[in-house]
Amino acid sequence: MKEWEKELQTYRLTPAPPKENDLQNYILRYLVEKEDKYIAWFLHYYERTVNGKAMAAVQDYAM
C-alpha cells in the first residue's frame, strides 16, 4: 500500500464504533457532551465519502 493510500484511512478505528443511522447524531452528541470521541466516530464512517469527493475533484480539475 502506498503512503498516500494509508493516509486516506486516517480515521479508521478498530474496533469500529457503534453505528448510528444518522451520522449527524454524532455531531449532536459531541455538541451536548463535549466528548472528542464522537467526532472521531463521525469521521470513521464519513471519511470514505469525503475522500471520494476530494478524489473526484482532483480528477475533474486534473490536480
Side-chain angles (χ1 to χ4, degrees), residues 7-63:
E7 291 177 6
L8 286 178
Q9 302 299 318
T10 302
Y11 296 101
R12 298 276 87 188
L13 301 175
T14 304
K19 177 90 179 197
E20 291 277 350
N21 290 333
D22 182 1
L23 294 180
Q24 295 301 317
N25 289 337
Y26 292 127
I27 304 300
L28 296 173
R29 288 173 74 180
Y30 169 75
L31 292 173
V32 170
E33 298 179 30
K34 305 296 186 216
E35 290 276 342
D36 290 341
K37 70 180 180 183
Y38 297 118
I39 296 297
W41 292 2
F42 170 81
L43 290 171
H44 172 82
Y45 290 110
Y46 201 64
E47 180 182 25
R48 287 186 182 178
T49 302
V50 172
N51 289 343
K53 291 182 184 289
M55 294 305 281
V58 167
Q59 290 177 356
D60 287 348
Y61 298 102
M63 294 182 181

